[in-house]
Amino acid sequence: MAIRNPRKRAVYIAGALLAAALLTVFAGRERLAENPFDRGRVFADPSHAVTAGNLLLVTDGGKTRVTVLSGHKVSAAITGAKETGGFFYAEHTAAHGGKIYIADVKYEEGSTRVETERILRFSAGGRFETVLFERPYEEEKPFQHGNILDLRSHDGRLTFLMARDGALELYSLVNSLAGETPALLRSVSAENAPYLYGAVYDAFGDTLYAVSKDGVIYAEDAAGGLAALDGLGRAGWIPREAAPDGSGSLYITDLASQSIVRADGSVFFEGDGIIFRLDTDETGLVSFTDGQSVYQVSAGGETRFAGDSAEYTAEYFLRRLLVWLLAAASAAAVLFLLGRLGLRVLKGGVGQSKYLFIIIISVTLTSVIVAASIFSASIQTEAQEKEFSITQMTLAVSGISGMTIGDDFASLNAPEDYGGPAYHRVRAALDPICETAYEQGGYLYYVLHKVVDGVVYSVLDYEDTVGVMYPIAEISEGWSDVFEGRAPYLFESFSDVNGSWTYAAAPVFSSEGAIAGLVEMGYNLDTAALRTQRQIRDIALSTAVLLVMFILVFSEVSAILEPLSALRRLSGKGRYVPELIRPLIFLAFLADSACTAFIPQLSGRIFSDSGLGWSLSMGAALPLSAKLFFVAIAAVAGGVLIDRLGMNLSLVCGTVTEIAGLFLTAAAVTMNHYALLIAGLSLSGAGLGVVVVAGNTLPAAYEEERRKSALFSGVNIGMVAGIVAGTSAGAYAAQAGGYALTFLLSAAALLPALWLAFKSAPRSFGLSLSAQMEALEEKEMGLARFLRDKSVFSFLLFMMSPFMVILYFREFAFPLYASEQGVSEVGIGQALLFSGAAGIFIAPALSAALLKRLGGKRTNLLAGGLCAAGLILFALRPSFQSAAAAVFMMSAAACFGYVAQGVYFSSIRAVKAFGTGKSMGIYSLLDNLSQTAGPLLFGAALALGYRLAAWVIGLVSAALFLLFALLGRGARGGNA
C-alpha cells in the first residue's frame, strides 16, 4: 500500500497539492476580480441597505453585488447578474438565523420584462444554497421590479408580499427550506389603490402599508382592504416608500426634499441625495442610502454608520489574499508542467497519442480564439446597429412631439396628475413604438423627463415604474447639451441604482416650439451583458463537446483501421475479423443512447396527451422500463437464437430489429401515440439485447486468454463510447431537427452495422467451454442451493441490484429534473457527455488500481457508497449543480463498479460450483431486471418530489450496501 519510490511519492503529493490549490481558486474565483491589497470596498451606486441583527446588507447597483457587513466591516459579498449560484436583480433582501435571503427578479433575455421571480437563500458567508420560492411568468409579464413588493424576517419566519390580481397577498415561509410551499396568511384587496408603487408588511403591528404613484399612502383597514391615510407628511412632498418599526413609528421617504420624514411630518433625516428605499428593525434602527453613502440611524437620531465605503474584516482580506497566492502558484506549476512536456516532445519522448493530444489542444485553443474574435465583432456590430436604431427612434419621437404629446406632456407637473387624461394620451402616443420594438426583438424603453432648477424629474415611462415628477438626479452634462443644442445626445453607457443602460436623449417640444422636456429611449445593458456571458460559455462548452466527441470518434476510427486492414489481407467467402465487433457495438449503443437526454421528458409529454389516469412520473418511466425489460428478455433468449441462426445472422437480426424499433418510435413521436412509443422502444430494446448477447458471446469463444481479454475490453469500450457519444449527439440533433428526426438518424447510423455483423463473426463455431466440465459443475450444485449461498444472494440483492437502480437517477430522474430547471436537451447531453467521458478516460487505470489495493468487495462498496453519497448530496441541496455533481459521482462509480462487480461475482466459490455460464446468465438476467426496475422505482418515488425521492432511494440503497458489507464474503469465500 505504501509508496516506496520517493520520486513517485513527491509527484503524487505535488499533484494532490496542485489539485487542492485549483479547487480552492475555483471556489473563490470571484475574489480574483478584486485588488488583493485593497483594505476596503467602495459602494458602487448603492440602491438599498437592510439591517439584520449584526449584519448590514448593502445592494450595489441592483445587479452588481450584495455586500455583507458584520460589525460594519465587509465580511462577504454575493455577486449578482448570474443565472445560477447568484442573483440577477436583488430587489429585496433579508436575513435571519445565519442565512441571507434575496428576492430575485430575472429578466427576459434582452429586455426588462420579468421572466421569473425567485427567493434565494445564501449562507452568511455569501454561498448560494437553494431556491426557496419561484414564480415563472408565461403571460402578462411585469416590468423591472416584478410583483414581490416586500421581503422581511420576523419571529423566526420569512414573510413576503406579492401583488396579484388586484390584491396584496401576504405569504410566510416558516422553515425556509427548499421545496416548502409558502403559506398564504391573508389577501388584502387593492381595488381602492389602483396605482400602487410598493407595499410593506408591518410585522410588529401586523398591518400592511402601501404607497401609490400618485402620492397617496394607504394602510390596511378592518374590512380587508386599503384605506388612504390623511394628514401625513407635508405640502408638496413626493412619498416613495414607507417603513414601520417596532415602536409604532412610521418613516416615509420624501423624494421632493431628499429626506426621511415621520408620519407627523417631522424630519427624521435630511440628506444630500435622493433617498428611494429604507429599512427599519424592531430596535428602531433605520437603514438607507442616498445612492452614494450608506446610513444607519437610531430612532433617536444617533448615526451608527455613515459612509460610502467599509473596511474588510481580517478574515476576508486574508482569504482573498490566499486565493490570489494559490492562483499565482497554480499558474506557475501549470506553466512548469507544460514546459516539461514541451521539452519531452522536442526530445522525442512522447508517443504518437501524446502528439495527437497536443495537436487537439492546439486546434481547440485556436478555434476558441477565432470564435471569440468573430463573436466580439458581431457583438460590436449589433451594438452599433442598436445605437443607430435608438437615435433614429428618438429623433422620430422628438420630431412629432410638438404635434402629438408636447402640450399634454407640459401639463403633467405633480404626482396627482398620474393616471389622468393627459397622462394616458401621452402613453397612447408613445407605447406603440416600444411595443413594435418588442415584437421585433428590439426591447426598447422610453422615459419622459423634465428639468426644474437643475434637477431631472421622471414624468412617465413605458414600463410604468415611476409616478409624475419623481426626481432622479441632478442634470448631467449630456442632458444639458440636449437643452442647449436642441439636438439628440447618445449615452453609450450609463449606470445608476437600477442597473446599466445605453440610450439617446432628445428634446420634446410644445406646440409653440418651446422645449417642454426630453425623451430618453434605450435598452438595458445588464441583460445584454448576461447574453454575452452565456454566448461565451456556450462557445467554450461547444468547443469542449466537440473535442471530447473528436477524441471518442478518433478512438473508434483508430480501433477499426487495423481490423479492416487485416480483413483485406484475408481471402475467401468466410473471411471475418472478430475485432470488428467493437465498432458494431459502438454503433448499436450510439443509436440506442441518442434519446437519453430527452426520453423521460418526451415520454411524459406524450403520456400527458394520452388521457390515461396514472401519475405523470410513472407515465414518463414506463416506456424506458419497457425497453430495458425487453433488453433483459432478449439477453435470455439470445443464446438460443445464436444456436439456431449462428453468430452473424443473430447480429443481423438484432440490428434489423433495433432499426425497426427506431423507425416505429419515430412514427410514435410524429403521431403522438403513447402505446406506439412503448412498442417502438420495446422493439429497439429487444434488438439491442440480441446484439449485446452476441457481442459478449463472441469473445468467450476464444481459448487464448490475451485475445479473449482484448475482445471483451473492446466490447466494453465500444459500449461506453457509444453511450457517451450518442447521448450528446442525440441532444444536439433533437434541438436542431426534433425528436422524430433524431430517431431516424439513429436508425441510419445502424446501417453500417449490418455489414460489420457479417465481417466480425462466422455463422457458427464451437465454444471453448468444456461440456464435461459443465456437466460436472451441474452435479456439484443445484439452482436452489446456488441462490441460497450467502455470498451469491447478498451480492445480487444487496449490491448489484440497488447499484443498477440508483444509476437511473442519472438516466431517468436527472434529465427530468434538469428539464424542469430550464436546462435544454443540449445542456443535459453536455452534462452526461462530460461525466461519461471522464469515466471512459479514467476507467482502465482506476479499476485496476482499486481492485489491486482494495479487492473486489471493498471496490464494490466504494462504488455503491459513491452513488448513494451523490444522491444524498442532491437531497441535501437540490439544484442543477448538485444534480450534475451526483451524475458525475455516479459515472465515476460506474466506470470501476461494473468491472468490480464482474470480477467479484465470477470469483465466488459457488459460481464455480454451479457453473460459470449458468451463473453469468442469472447475473445478466438480474442485472437487466434491476435496470428495468430503475425508472419505475424512480417514477413512483418522484410522486413524493425530487428531494424526498432522492432521500428514500439514497438511504435505502445505502442500507442495502451496508447489508452487503456485513453478509458478503471475500472473492473466494474468505473475508474481504
Side-chain angles (χ1 to χ4, degrees), residues 482-499:
V482 175
F483 280 92
E484 294 171 5
R486 298 170 65 89
Y489 185 91
L490 178 65
F491 293 80
E492 294 184 0
S493 180
F494 176 79
S495 297
D496 61 9
V497 296
N498 293 313

Side-chain angles (χ1 to χ4, degrees), residues 83-84 106 115-116 134 534 537 601 735 814-828 880:
E83 290 184 276
T84 55
K106 181 182 174 183
E115 183 179 81
T116 306
E134 185 169 21
R534 188 185 300 119
R537 181 199 64 197
Q601 304 94 289
Q735 188 176 65
F814 172 70
L816 279 178
Y817 178 78
S819 179
E820 291 182 12
Q821 297 295 305
V823 182
S824 67
E825 285 88 354
V826 168
I828 297 169
F880 176 73

Side-chain angles (χ1 to χ4, degrees), residues 21 24-25 36 316-328:
T24 304
V25 172
Y316 187 97
F317 179 81
L318 293 174
R319 189 167 63 241
R320 184 185 58 190
L321 187 61
L322 174 64
V323 170
W324 269 92
L325 292 174
L326 289 176

Side-chain angles (χ1 to χ4, degrees), residues 267-313:
V267 176
F268 172 74
F269 180 88
E270 191 167 3
D272 297 325
I274 300 171
I275 301 169
F276 293 99
R277 308 279 296 275
L278 77 161
D279 175 73
T280 55
D281 68 0
E282 63 272 11
T283 67
L285 197 62
V286 183
S287 305
F288 54 92
T289 172
D290 59 7
Q292 298 293 326
S293 297
V294 174
Y295 301 88
Q296 275 188 327
V297 183
S298 68
E302 176 190 358
T303 300
R304 303 284 180 84
F305 178 83
D308 60 0
S309 63
E311 292 185 1
Y312 293 112
T313 61

Side-chain angles (χ1 to χ4, degrees), residues 1 14 22 35 120 138 290 320 410 418 426 441 586 737 827-828 967:
M1 292 289 293
L22 290 173
N35 188 325
L120 313 176
E138 297 294 334
D290 59 7
R320 184 185 58 190
Y418 182 92
V426 174
F586 170 77
I828 297 169
L967 298 176

